[in-house]
Amino acid sequence: MANYQWYPGHMTKAKRMMQEDIKLIDLVIELVDARVPFSSRNPDIDELGKNKSRIILLNKSDLADTRKNKLWMEYFIDKGFHVIEVNAKTGAGIKSIYGVVQEACKEKIERDRKRGILNRPVRAMVVGIPNVGKSTFINSFAKKACTKTGNKPGVTKGKQWIRCNKELELLDTPGILWPKFEDQRVGLNLAMIGSINDEILHLDELAYELVRFLCDEYPGLLEQRYNIEISENQDAYETIKAVCVSKKCLLKGEELDIMKASSMVVDDFRNGRLGKITLEAPK
């Protein structure tokens, strides 16, 4: 398996900024990609947000395996998180977030009420690794109900508070926290969903890994999509060659264009054209 890695130049700075910001907030809303909920989580977030209420949004859940979405929801609920399936692009699931925020922060709201503090909005920090849909989520959420409030007195300049309604304010974290992964499978999964720059990847190797996984976990899917036959124990390279023939991915002189077919398979997966697929199950 190839070594998938990236070099986060500003990770320390982003982490320091979040350690400062965490003091100002009641709730951490973390976006993960429903196709790789484990791989798309940053382990640092658990440490940073350990004393805060937590909501996990399984984003792009429409692209993921419905059965596995349920398993992941159960997994996170068991760990004490509130979980919602969302699709930030279409806005599916976004409306239900308000109710879950109230539920997640009910102790804080109750504490405030007892101390005579009424109508202080819940302050939530939104976090997520690159390409998981954080900006899309904030834009979709903000468009529906939010106005930017600018800098609050007593809050360091440059932090963007977004007032959603009188019950909720979001802090958009400008610093992206990048994951560091010791497990190469995590790197591979992030490469599959497009969270690592394709220019540093070997797309053909990525396609072979994907083909192997799909043949094991979702048999029949590639045959159906590309109108090919896959024999038992057929290797991934042979399968990509079959896709070349079926989809006429050819170079001059009828030579097979392996790169074009590889790119097609990876792209079809990323955009949901192969069906609803989840690359990992809860451990």
Side-chain angles (χ1 to χ4, degrees), residues 34 58 61 64-73 85 278:
L58 284 175
S61 55
D65 184 327
T66 314
R67 205 169 36 87
K68 298 248 175 75
N69 282 348
K70 286 195 171 58
L71 292 177
W72 277 109
M73 286 186 80
E85 287 182 56
T278 298

Side-chain angles (χ1 to χ4, degrees), residues 268-279:
D268 283 349
F269 159 70
R270 286 179 182 167
N271 291 291
R273 290 188 286 266
L274 292 179
K276 292 173 179 283
I277 294 161
T278 298
L279 296 178

Side-chain angles (χ1 to χ4, degrees), residues 128-163:
I129 68 162
N131 210 33
V132 84
K134 186 167 79 85
S135 308
T136 313
F137 162 69
I138 286 174
N139 292 338
S140 151
F141 203 42
K143 230 188 284 168
K144 288 188 171 46
C146 305
T147 52
K148 289 185 162 59
T149 59
N151 296 322
K152 289 184 156 316
V155 175
T156 319
K157 278 191 167 30
K159 294 191 202 319
Q160 185 59 71
W161 286 96
I162 301 162
R163 177 136 196 169

Side-chain angles (χ1 to χ4, degrees), residues 64-97:
D65 184 327
T66 314
R67 205 169 36 87
K68 298 248 175 75
N69 282 348
K70 286 195 171 58
L71 292 177
W72 277 109
M73 286 186 80
E74 286 164 14
Y75 170 85
F76 286 126
I77 288 165
D78 280 351
K79 293 216 172 304
F81 298 103
H82 291 78
V83 196
I84 312 169
E85 287 182 56
V86 298
N87 176 351
K89 253 194 183 134
T90 64
I94 300 278
K95 276 201 181 95
S96 61
I97 292 172

Side-chain angles (χ1 to χ4, degrees), residues 228-244:
I228 57 175
E229 276 183 32
I230 300 176
S231 58
E232 209 180 335
N233 301 324
Q234 178 171 305
D235 75 9
Y237 179 63
E238 290 301 321
T239 302
I240 292 288
K241 274 166 63 176
V243 173
C244 281

Side-chain angles (χ1 to χ4, degrees), residues 59-258:
N59 193 28
K60 305 185 187 179
S61 55
D62 55 311
L63 297 175
D65 184 327
T66 314
R67 205 169 36 87
K68 298 248 175 75
N69 282 348
K70 286 195 171 58
L71 292 177
W72 277 109
M73 286 186 80
E74 286 164 14
Y75 170 85
F76 286 126
I77 288 165
D78 280 351
K79 293 216 172 304
F81 298 103
H82 291 78
V83 196
I84 312 169
E85 287 182 56
V86 298
N87 176 351
K89 253 194 183 134
T90 64
I94 300 278
K95 276 201 181 95
S96 61
I97 292 172
Y98 285 115
V100 178
V101 166
Q102 297 298 307
E103 175 62 29
C105 295
K106 66 170 185 243
E107 284 171 18
K108 171 221 146 348
I109 295 164
E110 189 54 32
R111 259 197 326 271
D112 280 355
R113 201 179 59 78
K114 282 187 177 145
R115 284 154 56 198
I117 305 167
L118 299 177
N119 299 331
R120 182 169 97 66
V122 167
R123 288 177 168 181
M125 179 193 278
V126 183
V127 297
I129 68 162
N131 210 33
V132 84
K134 186 167 79 85
S135 308
T136 313
F137 162 69
I138 286 174
N139 292 338
S140 151
F141 203 42
K143 230 188 284 168
K144 288 188 171 46
C146 305
T147 52
K148 289 185 162 59
T149 59
N151 296 322
K152 289 184 156 316
V155 175
T156 319
K157 278 191 167 30
K159 294 191 202 319
Q160 185 59 71
W161 286 96
I162 301 162
R163 177 136 196 169
C164 294
N165 56 23
K166 57 180 193 295
E167 284 149 14
L168 180 64
E169 288 182 358
L170 296 183
L171 176 60
D172 182 9
T173 47
I176 299 164
L177 260 187
W178 302 63
K180 50 189 181 299
F181 27 88
E182 279 79 43
D183 178 356
Q184 274 310 301
R185 189 82 220 172
V186 170
L188 176 65
N189 284 340
L190 291 178
M192 296 268 200
I193 63 166
S195 275
I196 298 178
N197 192 333
D198 277 347
E199 282 153 31
I200 62 169
L201 298 172
H202 298 290
L203 262 180
D204 50 344
E205 288 175 21
L206 202 56
Y208 301 153
E209 291 285 355
L210 183 58
V211 162
R212 281 185 206 111
F213 173 83
L214 293 174
C215 287
D216 287 346
E217 297 291 326
Y218 294 90
L221 219 146
L222 291 167
E223 289 94 323
Q224 199 180 335
R225 171 74 189 169
Y226 300 114
N227 197 18
I228 57 175
E229 276 183 32
I230 300 176
S231 58
E232 209 180 335
N233 301 324
Q234 178 171 305
D235 75 9
Y237 179 63
E238 290 301 321
T239 302
I240 292 288
K241 274 166 63 176
V243 173
C244 281
V245 173
S246 173
K247 292 293 170 190
K248 300 193 168 41
C249 299
L250 304 169
L251 296 161
K252 282 192 182 115
E254 299 297 289
E255 192 189 333
L256 300 179
D257 191 342
I258 296 294

